[in-house]
Amino acid sequence: MTARFSDMADDELLARFASGEAAAFEVLIQRYQTPLYNFILRTIRDSDVAADLLQEAFTRVIQRHSDFNREAKFSTWVYVIARNLCFDHARRMKHRRHASLDAEGPAGSDGGAWVERLPAAQPDLELQAGANSLRARLALAVEALPEEQREVFLMRQVQQLPFAEIALVVGVSENTIKSRMRYALERLQRALSDYEEQARARA
Amino acid sequence: MDCRTCEPTLIDLVHSELATDAAREAHAHLATCVSCRASFDTLVAATRLAAQLPMAEPPPQLAGRVMEIAEAHAREAAARLRVAAPRPTPWQALLDFVGRLATRPQVAMATVMVLIVAVGLWSLPRLRHEPAVADGVVVNPEPPEGEVAPSTGVESAQPLDLKVDMRARRIRSKDGMSEPAAVPAEAPASELAAQQTAKGKRSADDPFDALDDVDLGEPSRRAAGRGRGPLAEPEKSSEPREFAAGPPPAGQPTAARASSARARKSERSSSERLDNLAELSGAAASRDANGRAQAEGGLRQEEGLTRRGGAIAESKSAAPAAAAAPSRAPAAKPASPPPKEDDSLAGKPANTQPAASLATRLEAARALASENGCASALPSYRRIVSSAPTSSEAGYALIEMAQCRRKTGDIDTARGLLERATDVPAVAGHARALLSTLPSKSPPAASPKAAPSP
């Protein structure tokens, strides 16, 4: 039965789940849990919280599947849920922590910080173990991206969402999404080039 | 494309999401612009770098916890549905089951196959009940009296092995039986038998032969050839023929002609034409008989007339058409002997022809003589004499034949004709007068005397 559901589209699986077939939702979990987790993780930089937020995201899908607008895509809807959860978490933590915001300019411009940069409660072990590796540096560089650029970069990179769909999730124009993506790539390239220069310098 | 329009498209170009034409233009600009090219190269490198971003895996127990929540919710949803919807009746449950079953592709395909087989089986008996139509059998009603019912068989008709004699306008079957080329309407057999004349050579159902007997100025050869029956071939000799005194015709027994005529009678079809030609059939048969006698090289008038008379009597009760073979037999014989023939006719056959026809024929012969010379009319005169030897028309024909012979210097023949004419009451005096004018001896052929014509 799971093999039969694996050939179905996301909206059909959700419809099957709505009709009482719980096994259809398991396929949705397998499709979205990893990319959605990385999106949440790179956004809040806390693995435990990321797991909780991921579970919350799926729970919201389970509870609100009847409210889902069939005209939209499931991926768009689930990332809207995930993005909103990250917003909610950030607001909660804002009141708890007194970390300085990386204010690089007015909102909507390049690098506007809408999420408090939180220290990782559980630092990424992989990053720590390979702090000098390229991948680790890349992950840190992604987390260092402005939030507007990071969310676009993450949805494009981890889920391969089209720019038009990312524009629907974020609520801006597609050209704006493309610009943010370009700036994020250029920033990452510069950050890693600095890393390479430092590496050559140490060598 | 310039830098302003190219730069926004670089991200799409890196991810291969640009349209073909726009991509071609962008690459063309990148080939010429250093700054845009540098930007493009940076984006390409960054994209390759971004692909190396490590993907963290969520906790493994997370999926289980989520599924527990999902299953609980599914049970609640199903319970709500069961409560909301009334318990289906057995019929409704069966319909639901059938509906779910019918929507499956396998069931739909099987249903279509069953329908096809059912339609085929239903159509099969209908096809079986149409063998008559399929086989081309035609239901034949009772044919009208005198008609032949159409064929009910399906076998193809065999081609008729017939030979068409275009010259004589006759069709000859494989067995030698002849019949006229144009099949007239049917006529009762008794009528046909009554209308048959001597020897049955001349078919009364052949209007062309009857018309030829009128001798409307046609060449003598045709006139001579036509008088010999339905399948009589034209006489090979083009010379005008006269009554010949000689041995009786051989080779054509009366019985054979009668049998062949009876055979042809069975195939007659035209009654109207026969009726019209009835009055001519006797004369035609007589002329045929006379023509045959000439072809054989002379006949004794008395014997020939006797034979002809007998043939006339026989043909009255015989089949309508004359036999082809018997007719041809005398026709195939060599031409008549030289013109030393006795024009006088023996015997006294009954004048069976109506007077009107003899008069018409006499006039026609006279017209032919005036146009083409008296020699061309001799066969016509002979036919008149043979058909009604004691009629006045025959007497006049004998006199005119004698005058014609006299012109050519054949005084002996002329004398014979005139002597014969003295037997005809209507012209006896005239004939005796002409006889007195003839010289005692026939002059040399090289210098014929011109005798005054009556």
Side-chain angles (χ1 to χ4, degrees):
Chain A
M1 186 175 292
T2 302
R4 181 169 60 88
F5 286 135
S6 61
D7 298 333
M8 297 181 182
D10 296 342
D11 55 349
E12 186 175 357
L13 291 171
L14 194 64
R16 291 297 188 94
F17 172 72
S19 64
E21 299 182 54
F25 197 83
E26 185 177 3
V27 177
L28 292 175
I29 294 175
Q30 293 175 357
R31 287 181 182 177
Y32 286 95
Q33 64 173 350
T34 300
L36 203 60
Y37 177 74
N38 281 270
F39 172 80
I40 296 174
L41 177 63
R42 303 301 177 198
T43 301
I44 63 171
R45 300 177 64 239
D46 188 331
S47 59
D48 292 336
V49 177
D52 294 338
L53 293 181
L54 177 61
Q55 181 176 331
E56 182 62 22
F58 281 124
T59 302
R60 287 193 179 187
V61 170
I62 293 171
Q63 295 173 349
R64 301 177 184 180
H65 67 84
S66 59
D67 300 333
F68 171 61
N69 185 5
R70 304 294 179 180
E71 296 179 357
K73 294 182 66 175
F74 176 80
S75 57
T76 305
W77 183 48
V78 75
Y79 272 89
V80 169
I81 293 175
R83 185 171 181 267
N84 291 335
L85 290 172
C86 294
F87 279 143
D88 295 340
H89 176 75
R91 283 197 294 270
R92 286 195 299 271
M93 294 303 296
K94 184 179 180 180
H95 298 292
R96 298 180 186 180
R97 301 183 181 273
H98 302 285
S100 60
L101 296 176
D102 184 7
E104 299 180 2
S109 62
D110 180 30
W114 51 267
V115 174
E116 181 180 359
R117 190 169 300 279
L118 305 173
Q122 272 190 337
D124 192 339
L125 298 177
E126 181 179 356
L127 293 179
Q128 287 186 338
N132 295 326
S133 66
L134 179 62
R135 297 179 64 188
R137 297 286 297 176
L138 179 58
L140 295 174
V142 170
E143 292 179 0
L145 287 174
E147 306 304 326
E148 295 173 350
Q149 298 176 14
R150 183 172 64 243
E151 64 178 355
V152 174
F153 174 81
L154 287 174
M155 282 188 282
R156 179 72 184 190
Q157 194 61 38
V158 302
Q159 194 67 56
Q160 288 81 44
L161 291 182
F163 291 125
E165 191 170 341
I166 296 174
L168 293 175
V169 173
V170 176
V172 297
S173 66
E174 184 177 350
N175 290 333
T176 302
I177 296 300
K178 291 179 181 180
S179 298
R180 293 180 182 180
M181 183 66 183
R182 177 181 174 183
Y183 296 146
L185 290 174
E186 291 175 350
R187 186 183 287 271
L188 292 175
Q189 181 65 25
R190 285 196 299 272
L192 271 294
S193 62
D194 294 339
Y195 167 75
E196 291 174 354
E197 290 177 359
Q198 293 175 4
R200 282 194 295 270
R202 285 196 295 273
Chain B
M1 180 174 283
D2 55 6
C3 296
R4 185 178 61 84
T5 56
C6 177
E7 191 162 349
T9 64
L10 293 179
I11 189 65
D12 292 325
L13 189 63
V14 168
H15 292 88
S16 303
E17 294 179 2
L18 200 62
T20 306
D21 295 338
R24 184 166 56 250
E25 294 179 0
H27 281 291
H29 177 74
L30 294 177
T32 59
C33 180
V34 177
S35 62
C36 291
R37 184 67 194 186
S39 300
F40 178 76
D41 293 339
T42 302
L43 290 176
V44 170
T47 302
R48 294 175 182 170
L49 180 64
Q52 301 182 32
L53 181 68
M55 295 292 288
E57 290 295 328
Q61 64 273 18
L62 184 142
R65 290 199 298 266
V66 174
M67 280 305 299
E68 291 177 359
I69 300 172
E71 289 172 356
H73 185 82
R75 286 192 297 269
E76 293 175 0
R80 285 195 299 270
L81 290 175
R82 284 194 298 270
V83 172
R87 188 180 184 82
T89 61
W91 279 114
Q92 190 173 5
L94 178 63
L95 290 175
D96 293 340
F97 172 76
V98 173
R100 288 194 301 271
L101 190 65
T103 54
R104 297 187 178 182
Q106 295 83 353
V107 175
M109 184 61 66
T111 304
V112 172
M113 294 300 295
V114 169
L115 288 175
I116 292 173
V117 172
V119 171
L121 293 175
W122 175 74
S123 303
L124 192 59
R126 297 183 63 185
L127 294 177
R128 287 180 182 172
H129 290 325
E130 300 176 353
V133 177
D135 296 342
V137 176
V138 179
V139 177
N140 299 313
E142 285 296 323
E145 184 177 356
E147 292 185 4
V148 180
S151 173
T152 58
V154 296
E155 58 274 358
S156 59
Q158 297 297 325
L160 298 176
D161 187 5
L162 299 176
K163 297 180 181 179
V164 179
D165 186 355
M166 298 307 297
R167 298 179 68 185
R169 295 193 295 277
R170 296 290 179 183
I171 297 174
R172 300 176 186 177
S173 60
K174 183 170 58 176
D175 57 358
M177 299 301 294
S178 65
E179 59 183 26
V183 181
E186 289 185 352
S190 59
E191 250 183 45
L192 299 177
Q195 295 168 357
Q196 288 305 310
T197 55
K199 301 182 180 69
K201 291 181 301 177
R202 193 53 171 273
S203 170
D205 59 353
D206 189 344
F208 298 102
D209 290 340
L211 290 176
D212 289 338
D213 295 335
V214 180
D215 290 330
L216 299 177
E218 291 185 350
S220 61
R221 175 171 54 183
R222 179 162 182 255
R226 289 289 179 252
R228 293 185 293 110
L231 290 183
E233 295 181 354
E235 293 182 9
K236 297 179 181 178
S237 172
S238 61
E239 294 297 325
R241 297 188 178 280
E242 301 177 1
F243 293 111
Q252 180 148 5
T254 302
R257 291 195 295 275
S259 63
S260 61
R262 281 194 293 274
R264 293 193 58 195
K265 172 187 176 181
S266 65
E267 301 175 0
R268 291 290 299 277
S269 59
S270 173
S271 60
E272 292 185 357
R273 199 184 315 177
L274 290 173
D275 292 335
N276 294 331
L277 300 173
E279 60 182 1
L280 299 175
S281 62
S286 299
R287 289 192 299 275
D288 293 340
N290 192 32
R292 187 178 306 108
Q294 297 174 12
E296 294 174 356
L299 296 171
R300 286 286 179 187
Q301 293 93 3
E302 188 169 357
E303 292 180 353
L305 288 175
T306 301
R307 188 174 298 104
R308 288 191 290 274
I312 291 174
E314 290 177 357
S315 63
K316 287 183 180 178
S317 60
S327 300
R328 283 196 298 272
K333 291 188 177 180
S336 61
K340 282 269 179 164
E341 54 188 9
D342 189 357
D343 289 338
S344 61
L345 301 174
K348 296 181 179 180
N351 293 330
T352 60
Q353 300 301 322
S357 61
L358 291 174
T360 304
R361 288 158 58 185
L362 181 60
E363 290 300 325
R366 286 170 175 171
L368 182 62
S370 63
E371 291 184 9
N372 300 327
C374 64
S376 62
L378 290 176
S380 302
Y381 289 135
R382 283 195 289 271
R383 285 195 287 270
I384 294 173
V385 173
S386 63
S387 61
T390 58
S391 64
S392 58
E393 287 79 9
Y396 289 123
L398 288 168
I399 290 175
E400 292 174 7
M401 290 168 62
Q403 295 294 94
C404 184
R405 292 298 182 183
R406 186 174 181 176
K407 290 179 182 178
T408 59
D410 190 1
I411 304 300
D412 293 339
T413 303
R415 180 176 293 105
L417 292 169
L418 289 174
E419 289 174 354
R420 179 70 183 91
T422 57
D423 295 335
V424 180
V427 299
H430 189 194
R432 283 192 287 272
L434 291 175
L435 273 171
S436 62
T437 62
L438 289 178
S440 60
K441 293 180 180 180
S442 56
S447 58
K449 289 186 177 179
S453 57

